[in-house]
Amino acid sequence: MPTQRLFDRINSVHLQQVTKQYGEHVAVKQLDLEIQGGELLILIGPSGSGKTTTLRMINRLIEPDEGVITINDHNIMDFDPVRLRRNIGYVIQDIGLFPHMTIRENIGLVPRLEGWSGQEISDRVRHLLDFVSLSPESFMDRYPRQLSGGQQQRIGLARALAMDPPLLLMDEPFGALDPILRKQLQDEFNIIKQEIGRTILFVTHDIDEAFKLGDRIGIMSDARLIQIGTPEELILHPENELVSDIVDAKKKFKHMDTLRVKDMMSPITDTYLFDAGMTAQDAVKRMTQTNVELAIVLDNSVPVGYVEMAHLVQQIYYDVTLRDIVEPIPIFSSNDHIASALEKLKDRGGSLGLVMEAERPSGLFFLNDVLLRLI
C-alpha cells in the first residue's frame, strides 16, 4: 500500500515574495499569491509572463531564488522533493506518456514505485479510466501511439490522479488540441473538477478557457501578478488597460441582438464529416487517426446528427453503423441571430448545434461557450 501522504487536503498554498531569476532575466518577481483550498485558480498572461515558472516552483521542479512557498503553512523546502511531487498531480500540454509502456503501466507507474500490489494498481487504473470516460477493456493494454490526442490527454489526467493528490498543477493541458476537441475536454473537465473536489492551479493562454473553468483568475505580465479576481470582477473592474484587453472587457458588453451564429461558432473542416453507413469500428479508427472526437454524420450529403468518440468506443464490438446510433442535432444558418439560436437549444434541451452555410456544414455552436462569452 502507498506510504503516508504529506497532506490529505489543501487548506491553502501561499507564495510570499517569491522571485526566480535566470542571469539578467527575471522570470518571476516578488510574487504574492494565495491559492485557496478547493478552488480552481487560473493563471493567464502573455508568453514569458511567469505563469509556468510559478507552477513549477510549487512542486520544486524549479527552486525559487527568494521568498517562501508554503502548503498548509508548511515550507515546501522542508519536504523531500520526490515525496512532494508524488503528492501533487501534474498535467502538461505535452502529456509525457512513456511510449514503450501500456496505458496500464503509464497510469500505474507511481503507485508501483510506492509499493502497491498488482491487484491494487489494476483496480486503480480501471477506476481512473472509467472516471475519464475511457473503457478499461479497450484501453488498458494499448500504447500511447494507438490513441488520439484527446485520449492521450485523458490518460495524462488519469495518471496525475493515480495517487489521489489533493493538489493538481495543470500547465496548458488542452493548448495543443484542435479547438473543437478542446471545448469537449473543457466541458468534461468542468464535470470532473466538481467530482474530485481538489485544489487546482491551472495555466492557460485562452481567456475563454479561463472564464469557463476558473473560480478565480490571476493576470500576470512582466514576471508580476497584476490582478486577481473572479471573471465578473476582472470584466467590471479591470486594474489597467492590459487586464481590460486580456479579458476582452469592452466586447463582453456588445449587445446580443447584433450577434449572429457565425460570430460565435467554431469552424469545422471535412475531417469532422462522416458517412452514415460507416461502421462504428471504422469511425473510431478514423477519429483516432485524424485526432477528432466528434463527428457530424451525413446521409447522402444531408446532416442527420452527430456521434462522439466516447459513445462509439462502446459500440465497436457490435455490428452497427453510425446511422444506427446517431444523435439528433439542431441546425442553424450562419446568419441566424444568437438570441433565437439560444432559444431553440433551450427548447430542445440541447447543448450543441450545427451551423450550415451554402448547404454545407461550416461550424459547431456550443451553448456553454456562447453563454460564457456573453458574461
Side-chain angles (χ1 to χ4, degrees):
M1 284 296 293
T3 53
Q4 187 175 7
R5 298 161 66 92
L6 292 180
F7 22 77
D8 290 320
R9 55 170 291 170
I10 300 297
N11 299 317
S12 69
V13 179
H14 202 181
L15 291 80
Q16 299 169 279
Q17 292 291 292
V18 171
T19 294
K20 182 63 186 179
Q21 188 164 342
Y22 298 96
E24 296 297 316
H25 173 67
V26 179
V28 173
K29 186 171 184 178
Q30 296 178 334
L31 175 63
D32 285 317
L33 175 67
E34 182 175 8
I35 306 161
Q36 300 165 3
E39 78 169 333
L40 193 157
L41 176 65
I42 300 276
L43 291 182
I44 191 169
S47 178
S49 58
K51 308 182 297 296
T52 293
T53 299
T54 299
L55 197 80
R56 290 164 66 88
M57 284 193 289
I58 292 174
N59 66 359
R60 292 184 62 185
L61 287 173
I62 297 174
E63 306 254 324
D65 296 322
E66 299 175 12
V68 176
I69 302 174
T70 61
I71 298 178
N72 293 352
D73 296 326
H74 295 286
N75 192 324
I76 65 169
M77 301 304 290
D78 294 336
F79 296 128
D80 173 76
V82 174
R83 174 65 49 212
L84 177 69
R85 289 174 203 135
R86 291 184 183 175
N87 281 260
I88 298 175
Y90 188 46
V91 185
I92 58 176
Q93 183 180 120
D94 295 333
I95 309 169
L97 299 179
F98 296 104
H100 61 288
M101 291 184 178
T102 64
I103 300 310
R104 181 202 309 261
E105 292 167 336
N106 266 283
I107 297 174
L109 177 61
V110 173
R112 180 171 64 81
L113 294 174
E114 288 289 303
W116 290 31
S117 71
Q119 187 60 54
E120 288 169 334
I121 293 172
S122 183
D123 289 345
R124 183 64 177 159
V125 171
R126 285 180 174 277
H127 170 75
L128 288 170
L129 284 173
D130 275 330
F131 189 64
V132 297
S133 302
L134 295 174
S135 163
E137 287 71 23
S138 298
F139 288 93
M140 283 184 75
D141 297 319
R142 293 192 191 185
Y143 288 88
R145 66 179 180 275
Q146 297 173 302
L147 273 58
S148 69
Q151 290 167 344
Q152 288 186 36
Q153 197 58 260
R154 289 183 180 89
I155 298 301
L157 176 60
R159 184 177 61 181
L161 294 173
M163 298 298 295
D164 196 22
L167 175 63
L168 277 177
L169 306 178
M170 306 186 73
D171 192 359
E172 299 206 46
F174 312 135
L177 300 176
D178 165 273
I180 302 294
L181 179 53
R182 187 184 311 151
K183 294 180 195 304
Q184 287 180 262
L185 291 188
Q186 288 167 357
D187 286 340
E188 290 179 24
F189 184 69
N190 242 339
I191 296 171
I192 286 173
K193 79 168 185 176
Q194 300 299 328
E195 293 188 19
I196 62 177
R198 297 295 184 260
T199 304
I200 303 170
L201 182 61
F202 190 111
V203 166
T204 182
H205 66 279
D206 182 343
I207 190 61
D208 289 330
E209 180 169 80
F211 282 174
K212 191 170 191 174
L213 301 179
D215 297 311
R216 291 191 301 153
I217 300 170
I219 308 288
M220 296 192 71
S221 179
D222 295 328
R224 293 180 179 272
L225 180 67
I226 306 301
Q227 186 175 358
I228 190 167
T230 64
E232 291 81 3
E233 289 168 344
L234 296 177
I235 291 170
L236 295 173
H237 306 291
E239 182 74 21
N240 54 31
E241 194 65 27
L242 172 68
V243 175
S244 181
D245 288 343
I246 288 175
V247 302
D248 212 7
K250 294 169 185 173
K251 289 184 182 178
K252 294 295 178 187
F253 297 105
K254 189 177 179 182
H255 199 275
M256 196 167 79
D257 288 347
T258 68
L259 292 174
R260 307 277 180 168
V261 167
K262 63 185 176 185
D263 297 320
M264 291 196 171
M265 74 176 188
S266 299
I268 60 173
T269 64
D270 287 351
T271 307
Y272 288 88
L273 307 182
F274 285 58
D275 187 85
M278 182 178 286
T279 66
Q281 187 171 17
D282 286 343
V284 167
K285 183 177 180 180
R286 178 181 157 186
M287 282 183 165
T288 303
Q289 291 172 342
T290 57
N291 199 24
V292 302
E293 295 195 15
L294 182 148
I296 301 302
V297 180
L298 305 180
D299 198 346
N300 292 321
S301 299
V302 177
V304 292
Y306 74 102
V307 292
E308 293 184 285
M309 170 83 86
H311 179 53
L312 276 178
V313 294
Q314 310 294 332
Q315 307 293 327
I316 60 176
Y317 302 110
Y318 304 98
D319 184 22
V320 296
T321 65
L322 300 189
R323 185 180 289 108
D324 301 320
I325 55 176
V326 67
E327 295 287 337
I329 187 171
I331 295 177
F332 304 102
S333 163
S334 61
N335 285 316
D336 285 347
H337 284 96
I338 288 290
S340 63
L342 291 176
E343 189 65 29
K344 186 174 180 180
L345 283 178
K346 179 183 175 183
D347 289 344
R348 297 186 54 163
S351 61
L352 174 69
L354 175 65
V355 184
M356 300 289 289
E357 197 160 7
E359 299 184 352
R360 287 281 296 172
S362 61
L364 291 172
F365 181 77
F366 291 88
L367 175 61
N368 287 343
D369 229 31
V370 175
L371 295 178
L372 283 163
R373 290 172 66 178
L374 293 172
I375 288 175

